[in-house]
Amino acid sequence: MKKLLPDGISDFKTLIENNYYYVDKTPFIREVGKNIGKSLLFTRPRRFGKTLNMSMLKYFFDVRDGEKNGKLFKGLEIENSPYFEEQGKYPVIFISMKDIKEMSFDKAITEVKNLLKKIYNQFEFIREKLNEGELIEFDNIWLGKNDENLKSSLLNLATFLKKYYNQKVIVLIDEYDTPLISAYRYGYYNEAKNFFSNLYGSVLKDNTSLQVGIITGIVRVIKAGIFSDLNNLSEHSILNKEYDEYFGFLEKEVKNALKYYEVDSKLDEVHSWYNGYRFGDTKVYNPWSILKFLSEKEFKGYWIDTSENYLIKAILKGANKKTFEKLNNLLFGKEVKEEITGKSTLQEVLEAHDLWELLLFSGYLTIDKKIDKNMYIIKIPNKEVKEFFGDSFIEISFGTNLTFKNLIENLLDNEIEEFEENLQEILLKYMSFYDVSSIEKVYHSFILGLMIHLEGKYYIKSNGEGGLGRYDIAIEPLNKNLRGFILEFKVTDSEENLEKKAEEALEQIKDKKYYISLQDRGIKDITFVGMAFYKKLVNIKSLEY
């Protein structure tokens, strides 16, 4: 009988005891455990194994039930390491902030208080070794009597545990930035930043009680901002080579999983859908999507649907022409170079001053290669993410996609009059989004963006060579029996010239013989589409060839 697939299970003990399929990441324990006195920040996209790794660390190091927990690692790589001697030796504080997503600061603090009460309750037995003053501080959090020590509650608990066990403490803070992202969204970021800076920072810089501190999150920061005075912080992002193999699935790990579940013949498709991420020098697959595919045996977007994508939606809604053009280039596989400095504070990233850094560290883009110190070529990692941009870009940007889908269907069905009517309606409603311009590339980028979801059935080519020049857009069907299209754009300075300019665009397609490139590839039916724009108005002329 095959092992069960751990869809959504992030508790290491549950996974092992119930014989779920597990990709062995236990060497991570040895590597992070060496950093005595340090705090390590790991930033990775959501659903790339952060919480499971943190749970694994908890069960390995925790002095409570140490012998029992040691059995969880039987047969795993760490069991054969000399470092296994460290198993079950340390008190562990494990706090996950993944569910703190409140709409106000007061509600967020209430949820943090409730979370801390539960954590304190796990250690109520240590009260026997606390003095009278320490008991008051413990009970203030445990029983919710007083909020004065809330900001120092993790520090105090570490101090109490150190006293009880006479052993330094391992502190695990999972998804540190979740409450901060919500705070930014709902307008109380500064209050939240001050609170969480103290809550996290006080315990992580305490050399007297801290053995090792591990923090995980999505958004990358340096020492500025929330960790401004944390001198012992060592940050490991997707740009760093260290620890790059411990988040996400490696090629060999995916091959083994596909073989185990007898779908290894699908490796090439799995690669195109879910691979493509680069962490340091290592290429990795999206683990959530791999596990979901193994469960459902269907190629579709799994990871992309696990979040409301709030930050990304906000960025797309506010994208300017330059940003929109670069996104179009990414969608159509063109090279995009960006400077990724890593000098952003969390707030700057959230405010999208560093748009590409946010897209990169959130998993919507990845590094193709490094050019210089801070200069990288970035790309969309795989088909799953590309489909998100293609299928959702219009809806995210405009709030609806029904008219847009009808528009593309009109074109593909060669219903040019209906295509013009729908396009005119869209321009009148939405063109202000692009800051109406006399520049042709604005309209070009707009139309091109509508075509991205056709990939898989059509080749979409922009500014390609054909005949005696360069056409604006060619739509080439993979099925040679379907109709192809050549689109040419013109912009005019007056409404009166619209029809004339559309005719000029149509004549240009014929005169320059742009259609030859499609003919040479076996496309028999081709429609020429000349399009002229004046602000929010459009005129279209067409010819079937």
Side-chain angles (χ1 to χ4, degrees), residues 253-301:
E253 294 168 344
V254 170
K255 285 183 177 179
N256 289 339
L258 295 179
K259 185 176 181 179
Y260 179 80
Y261 288 101
E262 300 176 350
V263 286
D264 42 325
S265 63
K266 303 291 186 180
L267 178 62
D268 288 344
E269 288 176 276
V270 168
H271 182 279
S272 65
W273 270 89
Y274 308 121
N275 192 14
Y277 294 93
R278 176 176 168 177
F279 296 168
D281 287 337
T282 302
K283 288 188 175 182
V284 300
Y285 288 77
N286 184 321
W288 173 262
S289 295
I290 293 296
L291 294 173
K292 294 295 288 184
F293 166 73
L294 290 172
S295 175
E296 299 188 20
K297 304 295 192 299
E298 182 180 352
F299 289 106
K300 62 180 183 179

Side-chain angles (χ1 to χ4, degrees), residues 51-67:
T51 299
L52 181 57
N53 277 348
M54 293 288 264
S55 175
M56 175 184 71
L57 293 173
K58 171 185 177 293
Y59 286 111
F60 181 86
F61 287 114
D62 202 343
V63 68
R64 295 175 298 168
D65 296 323
E67 183 177 349

Side-chain angles (χ1 to χ4, degrees), residues 232-496:
N232 64 336
L233 179 66
S234 176
E235 191 245 335
H236 301 278
S237 75
I238 60 174
L239 299 179
N240 301 113
K241 297 179 182 179
E242 299 85 4
Y243 309 100
D244 53 6
E245 70 268 39
Y246 299 121
F247 298 91
F249 288 171
L250 308 181
E251 181 77 22
K252 62 181 180 181
E253 294 168 344
V254 170
K255 285 183 177 179
N256 289 339
L258 295 179
K259 185 176 181 179
Y260 179 80
Y261 288 101
E262 300 176 350
V263 286
D264 42 325
S265 63
K266 303 291 186 180
L267 178 62
D268 288 344
E269 288 176 276
V270 168
H271 182 279
S272 65
W273 270 89
Y274 308 121
N275 192 14
Y277 294 93
R278 176 176 168 177
F279 296 168
D281 287 337
T282 302
K283 288 188 175 182
V284 300
Y285 288 77
N286 184 321
W288 173 262
S289 295
I290 293 296
L291 294 173
K292 294 295 288 184
F293 166 73
L294 290 172
S295 175
E296 299 188 20
K297 304 295 192 299
E298 182 180 352
F299 289 106
K300 62 180 183 179
Y302 296 108
W303 172 81
I304 210 73
D305 291 330
T306 59
S307 169
E308 62 181 359
N309 302 301
Y310 158 70
L311 289 175
I312 308 305
K313 289 179 181 180
I315 286 172
L316 293 178
K317 285 180 179 178
N320 57 29
K321 292 195 289 283
K322 185 177 180 180
T323 298
F324 187 74
E325 186 175 347
K326 286 187 176 182
L327 286 171
N328 264 323
N329 287 339
L330 287 166
L331 286 167
F332 287 94
K334 293 185 178 180
E335 188 174 282
V336 173
K337 299 177 183 177
E338 285 297 328
E339 184 179 22
I340 308 294
T341 65
K343 295 180 179 179
S344 307
T345 65
L346 176 60
Q347 185 172 7
E348 287 171 333
V349 172
L350 291 177
E351 290 177 348
H353 296 319
D354 290 284
L355 162 66
W356 304 107
E357 187 165 322
L358 176 59
L359 290 170
L360 182 65
F361 289 96
S362 298
Y364 294 87
L365 298 176
T366 192
I367 297 294
D368 188 18
K369 61 183 177 181
K370 187 174 182 178
I371 302 174
D372 204 351
K373 183 179 180 181
N374 295 320
M375 190 64 66
Y376 298 86
I377 295 176
I378 57 177
K379 67 176 184 178
I380 294 174
N382 52 44
K383 190 171 181 178
E384 178 178 27
V385 181
K386 197 168 191 176
E387 283 214 343
F388 160 75
F389 280 112
D391 292 341
S392 303
F393 187 85
I394 296 165
E395 184 175 2
I396 289 170
S397 301
F398 302 101
T400 180
N401 64 6
L402 182 60
T403 304
F404 293 87
K405 287 184 177 179
N406 289 339
L407 177 74
I408 301 305
E409 289 175 4
N410 293 153
L411 179 63
L412 297 181
D413 292 339
N414 206 34
E415 298 170 346
I416 304 303
E417 289 185 10
E418 290 83 353
F419 175 67
E420 182 179 11
E421 289 175 7
N422 272 322
L423 180 56
Q424 182 62 83
E425 180 184 348
I426 289 168
L427 293 176
L428 290 172
K429 284 185 177 180
Y430 304 116
M431 202 55 195
S432 59
F433 176 81
Y434 298 95
D435 298 324
V436 173
S437 170
S438 60
I439 301 174
E440 182 185 307
K441 70 178 181 180
V442 173
Y443 301 96
H444 186 141
S445 296
F446 171 62
I447 299 296
L448 190 61
L450 301 178
M451 304 295 172
I452 184 60
H453 77 283
L454 296 179
E455 287 206 338
K457 295 181 179 180
Y458 291 83
Y459 292 119
I460 310 299
K461 299 184 180 180
S462 175
N463 294 317
E465 291 187 10
L468 303 175
R470 286 183 173 273
Y471 50 76
D472 283 329
I473 295 178
I475 303 173
E476 177 185 342
L478 274 63
N479 182 342
K480 306 302 182 184
N481 293 319
L482 296 179
R483 181 172 293 275
F485 298 85
I486 299 288
L487 279 58
E488 187 67 26
F489 308 113
K490 297 291 182 183
V491 174
T492 181
D493 56 3
S494 70
E495 183 177 349
E496 290 75 18

Side-chain angles (χ1 to χ4, degrees), residues 155 167 176 358-359 383 422 499 511 518 520 528 543:
L155 170 62
Q167 181 64 272
Y176 89 93
L358 176 59
L359 290 170
K383 190 171 181 178
N422 272 322
E499 188 171 355
D511 293 344
L518 292 185
D520 288 346
F528 306 160
L543 174 68

